[in-house]
Amino acid sequence: MPELPEVEVTRRGLVPQLSGRKISGVSVREPRLRWPVPNEVLSLAGRTVGTIRRRGKYLLVDCGDGHLILHLGMSGSLRVLPPETPAGKHDHFDLLLGDRMLRLRDPRRFGAVLWAAGDIAAHPLLAHLGVEPLSRALTPARLHALTRGHRTAIKHFLMDGRRVVGVGNIYASESLFRARINPRRAAGKITIEQSEKLVKAIKDTLNAAIRAGGSTLRDFAGADGAAGYAQQRHYVYDRAGKNCRRCRTPIRKLVQGQRSTYFCPTCQK
Ligand SMILES: [Zn+2]
């Protein structure tokens, strides 16, 4: 499933390819995605693509009088291709921009192509999203304040997009390891010192993943140019029973909120 780093790598790959270009047409071959593709999307021709921003895992393509909202869902990928490239079975949406096009491939169809006129921040899908982990808004003091009074486990808290947006299962486990915090610890019991370590760990973990994906950016416009995602060398994620890279204790797995959590019982007391 595309996580925040892959969406950010995709964004960085798309900006130089699309920004400033005029939309020449739209092709919707399958409107039944996570939500139906609205009719407004069909009449985007003539608008110019401005900047492309990201909020959580949503890509927001500024079209002047509104935003095209794109989400990769469970299995989506975006590629920039020559406009004559034949569409495959799962290629549901094309945004044509003269000598190139942006194509959404999404076998499982949990992705989204939506249109938002007016104030994008107030859009129902975005208005309740939590603080952006890579923004300056996520400070140790902010995370500490957000967690006060919450008895839920810190791992679960981090994955709640209404608090902090886009820290998925892998990155929550990895960040808690780097910060040496037990994933079962009550969020409200996190100290300010732990909050400092955790905020740094979240940013470092996400940035490392973005750098790993970013190394494939030069291939972005190729025929197989979906944003690549180099397999990260995880500290704990998916390493149950293997030795901790720091202390050699076997990594443990537990289930929290129906998601697997991995941690080192020695490093994360
Ligand atoms: Zn350890």
Side-chain angles (χ1 to χ4, degrees):
M1 182 159 89
E3 298 285 351
L4 186 149
E6 290 148 284
V7 178
E8 178 60 20
V9 167
T10 298
R11 188 191 73 78
R12 292 180 190 184
L14 292 182
V15 168
Q17 296 277 345
L18 306 185
S19 280
R21 295 196 165 260
K22 200 169 188 180
I23 299 169
S24 50
V26 173
S27 180
V28 177
R29 279 175 294 275
E30 173 55 88
R32 294 170 302 170
L33 301 180
R34 173 86 169 80
W35 299 282
V37 177
N39 286 331
E40 290 97 318
V41 168
L42 296 171
S43 47
L44 287 179
R47 289 177 172 82
T48 298
V49 173
T51 191
I52 303 171
R53 286 176 295 131
R54 179 186 57 74
R55 183 77 175 97
K57 295 203 281 185
Y58 292 95
L59 288 171
L60 313 174
V61 182
D62 189 345
C63 295
D65 60 341
H67 289 80
L68 184 65
I69 303 178
L70 302 171
H71 195 284
L72 300 178
M74 306 285 286
S75 59
S77 61
L78 288 164
R79 293 176 301 163
V80 178
L81 298 166
E84 66 274 13
T85 310
K89 184 181 170 191
H90 303 296
D91 294 335
H92 306 311
F93 169 78
D94 296 337
L95 186 70
L96 297 150
L97 303 121
D99 66 352
R100 61 193 66 180
M101 69 174 166
L102 175 67
R103 171 166 282 173
L104 173 70
R105 172 173 290 180
D106 187 3
R108 295 184 64 183
R109 293 197 279 115
F110 280 101
V113 176
L114 297 168
W115 174 253
D119 181 14
I120 187 69
H123 190 277
L125 287 171
L126 308 177
H128 303 291
L129 295 181
V131 60
E132 281 290 334
L134 292 175
S135 76
R136 270 177 286 189
L138 184 66
T139 60
R142 179 81 178 274
L143 183 64
H144 191 250
L146 283 173
T147 51
R148 292 311 88 186
H150 286 279
R151 275 184 251 175
T152 178
I154 185 65
K155 159 83 175 348
H156 202 61
F157 184 93
L158 288 181
M159 290 178 62
D160 182 347
R162 295 166 300 177
R163 317 284 178 198
V164 181
V165 68
V167 181
N169 199 35
I170 298 172
Y171 301 108
S173 280
E174 292 292 297
S175 299
L176 287 164
F177 175 82
R178 286 184 186 224
R180 298 206 186 199
I181 296 169
N182 189 293
R184 290 173 293 193
R185 188 171 178 84
K189 293 279 178 63
I190 296 293
T191 65
I192 187 68
E193 290 79 15
Q194 286 178 315
S195 185
E196 279 167 20
K197 288 187 178 128
L198 187 51
V199 165
K200 182 178 187 310
I202 291 168
K203 291 176 193 278
D204 287 350
T205 304
L206 292 172
N207 280 322
I210 289 168
R211 275 195 303 277
S215 63
T216 63
L217 271 184
R218 61 197 153 80
D219 300 326
F220 199 83
D224 300 314
Y229 187 59
Q231 185 61 48
Q232 287 276 286
R233 187 170 177 271
H234 300 305
Y235 283 110
V236 290
Y237 183 79
D238 206 20
R239 297 194 67 241
K242 294 182 179 148
N243 290 345
C244 172
R245 298 194 197 279
R246 187 181 274 150
C247 77
R248 318 295 297 163
T249 304
I251 298 299
R252 266 199 228 155
K253 173 180 167 176
L254 59 91
V255 176
Q256 289 179 296
Q258 294 161 356
R259 303 299 300 275
S260 295
T261 296
Y262 300 86
F263 73 108
C264 171
T266 303
C267 293
Q268 296 171 265
K269 285 210 192 293

